[in-house]
């Protein structure tokens, strides 16, 4: 069965929760957007499972090497969702914007290629891949 409108709304809400959590340094909330064995493959490395995902955001929010990313906001657009049943894929553009006194500065432009799973009635990222041109 194809994804319903409510599935698509729930997946877009997942994206918003993900962005809010990473942009505020909420490691537990960010890791909770993934399945228990979910994986993130991005600019700062590869992480899998709740413990590694939580640790990634704890480091991201506090370590100097990630300071530019940690203060930035994730802006996600052009979301394309396909799937059926409890499995979906998603493509979306991502831009990271660093707040600056004179407005802001784009520090990253790329896209996501994701696999999502519905677990216990909730959509979660099973795998999130960040692609930078």
């Amino acid at each position: 069965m194809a994804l319903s409108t409510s599935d698509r709304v729930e997946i877009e809400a997942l994206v918003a929760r993900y962005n809010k959590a990473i942009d505020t340094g909420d490691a537990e909330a960010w890791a909770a957007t993934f399945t228990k064995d979910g994986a993130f493959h991005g600019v700062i490395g590869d992480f899998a499972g709740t413990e590694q995902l939580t640790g990634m955001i704890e480091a991201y929010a506090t370590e100097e090497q990630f300071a530019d990313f940690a203060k930035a906001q994730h802006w996600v657009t052009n979301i394309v969702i396909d799937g059926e049943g409890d499995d979906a894929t998603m493509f979306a553009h991502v831009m990271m914007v660093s707040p600056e006194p004179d407005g802001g500065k784009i520090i990253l432009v790329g896209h996501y290629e994701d696999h999502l799973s519905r677990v216990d009635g909730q959509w979660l990222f099973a795998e999130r891949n960040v692609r930078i041109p």
Side-chain angles (χ1 to χ4, degrees):
M1 175 168 74
L3 298 178
S4 68
T5 300
S6 66
D7 288 327
R8 293 172 187 284
V9 170
E10 289 172 25
I11 290 170
E12 289 192 21
L14 172 68
V15 172
R17 284 195 312 278
Y18 171 101
N19 289 342
K20 179 182 178 189
I22 198 168
D23 290 347
T24 61
D26 188 338
E28 289 181 16
W30 186 78
T33 65
F34 288 84
T35 61
K36 293 206 182 302
D37 60 347
F40 173 86
H41 307 287
V43 176
I44 65 170
D46 299 312
F47 305 87
T50 303
E51 187 176 322
Q52 284 187 7
L53 293 168
T54 302
M56 184 200 109
I57 296 303
E58 289 171 347
Y60 183 89
T62 61
E63 293 183 14
E64 184 62 32
Q65 65 183 342
F66 305 123
D68 286 343
F69 285 161
K71 70 178 183 177
Q73 300 170 356
H74 289 71
W75 293 15
V76 178
T77 62
N78 302 324
I79 295 173
V80 177
I81 303 165
D82 294 301
E84 60 181 68
D86 293 334
D87 293 301
T89 59
M90 185 177 75
F91 171 94
H93 285 107
V94 60
M95 180 172 53
M96 290 178 67
V97 178
S98 177
E100 303 288 333
D102 61 347
K105 171 177 79 171
I106 298 170
I107 63 170
L108 180 143
V109 174
H111 70 270
Y112 293 118
E113 295 173 1
D114 302 319
H115 177 247
L116 300 101
S117 297
R118 184 178 8 225
V119 178
D120 297 328
Q122 180 179 15
W123 284 102
L124 299 168
F125 293 108
E127 184 174 13
R128 176 150 254 208
N129 298 284
V130 180
R131 305 286 190 226
I132 307 300

